[in-house]
Coordinates of all heavy atoms in Angstrom, one line a residue:
C14 N 266.3 130.3 51.0 CA 264.9 130.1 51.6 C 264.9 130.0 53.1 O 263.8 129.6 53.6 CB 264.4 128.8 50.9 SG 264.2 128.9 49.2
L89 N 277.6 148.3 54.7 CA 278.0 147.8 53.4 C 276.9 148.0 52.4 O 275.8 147.6 52.6 CB 278.4 146.3 53.5 CG 278.9 145.6 52.2 CD1 279.8 144.4 52.6 CD2 277.8 145.1 51.3
M100 N 291.5 139.1 43.0 CA 292.2 138.9 44.3 C 291.3 139.0 45.5 O 291.3 138.2 46.4 CB 293.3 139.9 44.4 CG 294.1 139.8 45.7 SD 294.8 138.1 46.0 CE 296.3 138.2 45.1
L101 N 290.4 140.0 45.5 CA 289.5 140.2 46.7 C 288.6 139.0 46.7 O 288.2 138.5 47.8 CB 288.7 141.5 46.6 CG 287.9 141.8 47.8 CD1 288.8 141.9 49.1 CD2 287.2 143.2 47.6
D123 N 276.2 152.8 39.3 CA 276.1 154.1 39.9 C 275.6 155.2 38.9 O 276.0 155.2 37.8 CB 277.5 154.6 40.5 CG 277.8 154.1 41.8 OD1 276.8 153.7 42.6 OD2 279.0 154.0 42.2
H135 N 279.1 152.6 34.0 CA 278.9 151.2 33.6 C 280.1 150.4 33.8 O 281.2 150.8 33.6 CB 278.5 151.2 32.1 CG 277.1 151.7 31.8 ND1 276.1 150.9 31.5 CD2 276.7 153.0 31.7 CE1 275.0 151.7 31.3 NE2 275.3 153.0 31.4
G151 N 284.8 165.3 23.7 CA 285.9 166.3 23.7 C 286.8 166.0 24.9 O 287.9 166.7 25.0
W195 N 311.6 156.7 43.5 CA 312.3 156.1 42.4 C 311.8 154.6 42.1 O 311.8 154.2 41.0 CB 313.8 156.0 42.6 CG 314.4 157.4 42.6 CD1 314.6 158.2 43.6 CD2 314.9 158.1 41.4 NE1 315.2 159.4 43.2 CE2 315.4 159.4 41.9 CE3 314.9 157.8 40.1 CZ2 315.9 160.3 41.0 CZ3 315.5 158.7 39.2 CH2 315.9 160.0 39.6
F200 N 303.8 156.0 45.2 CA 304.0 156.8 46.4 C 303.8 158.3 46.2 O 303.3 159.0 47.0 CB 305.4 156.5 47.0 CG 305.6 155.1 47.4 CD1 306.3 154.2 46.7 CD2 304.9 154.6 48.5 CE1 306.5 152.9 47.0 CE2 305.0 153.3 48.9 CZ 305.8 152.4 48.1
R213 N 294.9 168.9 36.4 CA 295.9 168.8 35.3 C 295.3 168.0 34.1 O 295.8 168.2 33.0 CB 297.2 168.2 35.7 CG 298.0 169.0 36.7 CD 299.4 168.6 36.7 NE 299.6 167.3 37.2 CZ 299.9 166.9 38.5 NH1 300.0 167.9 39.4 NH2 300.0 165.7 38.8
P268 N 282.4 130.2 61.3 CA 282.7 128.8 61.4 C 284.1 128.5 61.1 O 284.7 127.5 61.7 CB 281.8 128.2 60.3 CG 280.7 129.2 60.2 CD 281.3 130.5 60.4
A293 N 301.9 143.2 76.0 CA 300.4 142.9 76.0 C 300.2 141.4 76.3 O 300.8 140.5 75.6 CB 299.8 143.2 74.7
A297 N 290.9 142.9 79.8 CA 289.9 142.9 80.9 C 288.6 143.3 80.3 O 288.4 144.2 79.5 CB 290.3 143.9 82.0
H345 N 290.5 162.3 63.3 CA 289.2 161.5 63.3 C 288.5 161.8 62.0 O 288.4 162.9 61.5 CB 288.3 161.9 64.5 CG 288.9 161.6 65.8 ND1 289.0 160.3 66.3 CD2 289.5 162.3 66.8 CE1 289.5 160.2 67.5 NE2 289.8 161.5 67.8
W371 N 273.9 159.1 43.5 CA 274.7 160.1 44.3 C 274.2 161.4 43.8 O 274.1 161.7 42.6 CB 276.2 160.0 44.0 CG 276.7 158.6 44.3 CD1 276.6 157.5 43.6 CD2 277.5 158.3 45.5 NE1 277.3 156.4 44.3 CE2 277.9 156.9 45.4 CE3 278.0 159.0 46.6 CZ2 278.6 156.3 46.4 CZ3 278.8 158.4 47.5 CH2 279.1 157.0 47.4
R415 N 262.8 136.4 52.2 CA 263.0 136.5 53.6 C 262.0 137.6 54.2 O 261.6 137.5 55.3 CB 264.4 137.0 54.0 CG 265.4 135.8 53.7 CD 266.9 136.2 54.0 NE 267.4 137.2 53.1 CZ 267.7 138.4 53.4 NH1 267.6 138.8 54.7 NH2 268.2 139.3 52.5
Y476 N 257.8 152.5 57.4 CA 258.7 152.5 58.6 C 259.9 153.4 58.3 O 260.4 153.5 57.1 CB 259.3 151.1 58.9 CG 260.4 151.1 60.0 CD1 260.1 151.2 61.3 CD2 261.7 151.0 59.6 CE1 261.1 151.2 62.3 CE2 262.7 151.0 60.5 CZ 262.4 151.1 61.9 OH 263.4 151.1 62.8
P482 N 275.9 160.2 64.1 CA 277.2 159.9 64.6 C 277.3 159.3 66.0 O 278.1 158.4 66.3 CB 278.0 161.2 64.5 CG 277.3 161.9 63.4 CD 275.8 161.6 63.5
R490 N 281.4 151.8 68.6 CA 282.5 152.4 69.3 C 283.4 153.2 68.4 O 284.7 153.3 68.6 CB 283.4 151.3 70.0 CG 282.7 150.6 71.2 CD 282.4 151.6 72.3 NE 281.9 150.9 73.5 CZ 280.6 150.6 73.8 NH1 279.7 151.1 73.0 NH2 280.3 150.0 74.9
I510 N 304.0 158.3 57.2 CA 302.8 157.9 57.9 C 302.3 156.5 57.4 O 301.9 155.6 58.2 CB 301.6 158.9 57.8 CG1 302.1 160.2 58.4 CG2 300.4 158.4 58.5 CD1 302.5 160.2 59.9
Q521 N 305.0 145.3 72.7 CA 305.3 144.0 72.3 C 304.0 143.1 72.5 O 303.4 143.1 73.5 CB 306.4 143.4 73.1 CG 307.0 142.1 72.5 CD 308.2 141.6 73.2 OE1 308.6 142.2 74.2 NE2 308.8 140.5 72.8
Y555 N 300.3 136.9 51.1 CA 299.9 137.4 49.8 C 300.6 136.5 48.7 O 300.0 136.4 47.6 CB 300.3 138.9 49.6 CG 299.3 139.8 50.3 CD1 299.6 140.4 51.5 CD2 298.1 140.1 49.7 CE1 298.7 141.2 52.1 CE2 297.2 141.0 50.3 CZ 297.5 141.5 51.5 OH 296.7 142.4 52.1
R568 N 292.6 127.3 35.7 CA 291.5 126.4 35.6 C 290.4 127.1 34.8 O 289.7 126.4 34.0 CB 290.9 126.1 37.0 CG 291.8 125.1 37.8 CD 291.0 124.5 38.9 NE 290.5 125.5 39.9 CZ 291.2 125.8 41.0 NH1 292.3 125.2 41.3 NH2 290.6 126.7 41.8
L571 N 291.2 126.7 31.1 CA 291.0 125.4 30.7 C 289.5 125.1 30.4 O 289.1 124.4 29.5 CB 291.5 124.4 31.7 CG 293.1 124.3 31.8 CD1 293.5 123.4 32.9 CD2 293.6 123.7 30.5

Side-chain angles (χ1 to χ4, degrees):
C14 299
L89 185 153
M100 178 57 85
L101 188 58
D123 274 340
H135 287 256
W195 290 93
F200 297 108
R213 291 199 297 263
H345 293 286
W371 302 76
R415 293 180 292 115
Y476 171 80
R490 291 293 190 269
I510 298 299
Q521 191 176 4
Y555 284 99
R568 287 200 298 267
L571 289 173

